[in-house]
Amino acid sequence: MNGRISLEQAIALLLDAARPATPRPTPLPQALDLASAEDIAADRDVPAQSRSALDGVALRAADTRTASAAAPAKLCLLYTSD
């Protein structure tokens, strides 16, 4: 025997030996690189209002191919989340 085990056997050994860590309260500055033991939800939206500079806009390059400063392209809004 060459001392090797199959991938399936290795996974089974790892899963059998692995135990979840015990959750503990940790101050935020010391929580870097840790995982939360439970879901966290914000109590408000950030930013609180829609901002196109942050939300973004998508368009097709083909719709602007002939646009110029003298003849801007006219685009129609297809969707808004507001």
Side-chain angles (χ1 to χ4, degrees), residues 3-39:
R4 294 183 181 183
I5 61 174
S6 71
L7 175 61
E8 291 78 17
Q9 290 172 312
I11 292 171
L13 286 169
L14 286 170
L15 292 176
D16 186 52
R19 299 288 178 259
T22 302
R24 65 185 188 280
T26 304
L28 191 57
Q30 285 78 46
L32 184 64
D33 294 326
L34 298 180
S36 176
E38 49 191 59
D39 291 342

Side-chain angles (χ1 to χ4, degrees), residues 41-71:
D43 61 354
R44 63 187 67 99
D45 291 339
V46 177
Q49 64 280 349
S50 295
R51 295 177 176 237
S52 62
L54 301 176
D55 296 339
V57 175
L59 57 96
R60 295 181 303 190
D63 293 339
T64 61
R65 188 163 287 125
T66 60
S68 68

